[in-house]
Amino acid sequence: MSVLIRFLLAGWSLVIGAAADALQWLRRPGSKIKLVCAVLAFGCVVAGLTAYEKEQRIRDLSAQVVKVRADWQADAARLQADVDNRDQRLAEVATALRAEADKLEALKAESAAALQALAGKIEASEKEASTWRGRYEQRPDTCKAALELLDSACPALKGY
């Protein structure tokens, strides 16, 4: 353990000694190397701060891009869901309209059959009425006399 402590003390004295030597060297006037080193150090500090600022801007913009992409994907998913929902509702409406069209076709066919049957009944009733009218017009005289008596006896029932 004492070896480790001596090693750490030697390292510390080396660092402190180097810093003291550098400080003593910087205190001596008239060295052009000092001026060049100072300008280079200042340039490195400015370049480092500029690079740090640009890196921060890049990180901020990257975070904004990630957020915008996430928002865009969420909007795209929401819009796609809206489109799918609309398509589903349109399909339901189309199915309902097809069913109604089928019902209308069935009702149309039923109505045509009913009209046909009604036309047959009307024709039969007209034929029957003309037959009855013809027989009524050809009734015997005794029947006419009986109807006239009935008309005189019951004026409320007149006209048959």
Side-chain angles (χ1 to χ4, degrees):
M1 176 98 138
S2 78
V3 175
L4 181 64
I5 292 175
R6 280 192 309 206
F7 178 73
L8 289 176
L9 286 175
W12 182 252
S13 63
L14 180 67
V15 169
I16 295 295
D21 289 344
L23 188 61
Q24 190 179 24
W25 177 73
L26 285 174
R27 285 187 180 168
R28 277 189 268 154
S31 176
K32 292 181 183 180
I33 294 177
K34 289 182 202 175
L35 180 63
V36 170
C37 287
V39 169
L40 286 176
F42 181 75
C44 287
V45 168
V46 169
L49 290 175
T50 304
Y52 177 76
E53 182 183 347
K54 286 183 181 180
E55 179 66 24
Q56 291 298 47
R57 282 187 193 164
I58 288 172
R59 286 185 183 177
D60 291 343
L61 289 175
S62 295
Q64 288 176 359
V65 165
V66 168
K67 184 181 181 303
V68 166
R69 279 186 183 163
D71 291 346
W72 176 79
Q73 288 174 347
D75 288 344
R78 181 182 48 80
L79 290 174
Q80 186 62 42
D82 289 346
V83 166
D84 292 342
N85 189 15
R86 184 208 60 202
D87 289 346
Q88 181 183 4
R89 286 185 301 196
L90 285 175
E92 290 171 0
V93 167
T95 302
L97 287 176
R98 284 188 196 102
E100 288 298 318
D102 291 342
K103 285 180 187 177
L104 285 176
E105 286 297 322
L107 289 174
K108 185 178 175 183
E110 185 180 322
S111 176
L115 281 175
Q116 191 75 12
L118 185 60
K121 287 180 182 179
I122 289 173
E123 186 178 319
S125 91
E126 284 178 354
K127 188 184 271 187
E128 187 179 313
S130 69
T131 305
W132 182 83
R133 204 169 287 282
R135 278 190 286 149
Y136 182 76
E137 293 296 326
Q138 295 176 359
R139 68 187 180 266
D141 291 335
T142 57
C143 190
K144 287 180 186 177
L147 286 174
E148 287 175 8
L149 277 175
L150 188 59
D151 284 345
S152 66
C154 295
L157 298 176
K158 189 175 185 179
Y160 37 124

